[in-house]
Amino acid sequence: MRLADKVALITGGGSGIGKASCLLFAKEGAKVVVVDLKLDTAEATVDEIHKAGGDAKAFAADVSKAKDAEAMVRFAEESYGTLNVVFNNAGVFHPDDDSVTNTSEAIWDMVINVNLKGVFLGCQYAVPALLRAGGGSIINTASFVAIMGAAAPQIAYTASKGGVLAMTREIAVEFARKNIRANSLCPGPVETPLLAKLLSDPARRNRRLVHIPMGRFARAEEMANAALFLASDESSFVTGTSFLVDGGISAAYITPE
Ligand code: NAD
């Protein structure tokens, strides 16, 4: 098993990419701390892991609050004795996050607080725990929009994900000789509850689909597989990278007809 004897903490583990990653990491032998804003969704993921014979525990935390971020890391160490992998994946996407000219300060603050400050706090408390463990792997969820502009804007979301890329690189470099690796995962559009409303509108769906060379959106499990590689020792020489899993979007000028 690819994560045997590892303890992994995954935020946003109650839905979408986070949930798929919790299930896959547990299947690969990890003991998983499933963190989400809502305890019931984290517990539902834990139930699925237990039914499949895996080991996991649920924890409720708001990743944008320092005391919650500290508590989730402490919970992982107290529950399983150590921490080896941290997947800072929780994130939000708000329908009123739009152009730079009409996005409110409140929406900006809310999105940046969860998507960027949440990752900062996750790393702030995880790094000392990983150092105590002798090293480990940090995976921070960014997005392909961190490297590409869109005429269908979401300015706070895009800025938050660009911040995740820059922050993750710096963490990777600072702790490279302490046996901690840190990488960003940059998903293309994935069919999860985050995008469900947007993608249910055929015009908005097709406006995006036409730019994807593969001609389809991703599945959460495809992101979980990428995260598994970054979490495992198979990626032992990979750090500071922005791992694009985008169906070819960022490579494309003209997509196939
Ligand atoms: P999702 O909405 O299915 O799941 C996100 C989870 O995060 C939810 O369970 C939610 O409760 C949790 N969460 C939200 N705010 C939180 C907080 N403050 N504290 C703790 N948990 C919180 O979304 P998803 O599509 O699985 O997205 C996961 C990550 O992937 C996000 O960072 C998102 O920005 C990123 N991403 C998604 C896509 C996509 O197309 N779906 C593309 C690129 C990047």
Side-chain angles (χ1 to χ4, degrees), residues 12 14-17 36-38 61-63 89-92 114 141-143 157 161 187-190 192-195:
S15 177
I17 296 167
D36 209 289
L37 204 49
K38 294 156 266 169
D62 178 347
V63 296
N89 163 78
V92 289
V114 177
T141 305
S143 167
Y157 184 88
K161 297 303 189 181
V190 191
T192 67
L194 187 96
L195 285 191

Side-chain angles (χ1 to χ4, degrees), residues 125-137:
Y125 293 102
V127 165
L130 298 182
L131 290 173
R132 283 191 284 278
S137 173

Side-chain angles (χ1 to χ4, degrees), residues 89-108:
N89 163 78
V92 289
F93 174 82
H94 198 283
D96 296 337
D97 183 6
D98 194 10
S99 163
V100 65
T101 58
N102 66 4
T103 297
S104 70
E105 187 181 351
I107 294 295
W108 172 271

Side-chain angles (χ1 to χ4, degrees), residues 33 57 59 71-83:
V33 176
K57 289 183 194 298
F59 192 77
M72 72 186 184
V73 170
R74 195 182 327 118
F75 178 79
E77 286 188 305
E78 285 175 3
S79 299
Y80 291 120
T82 191
L83 184 61

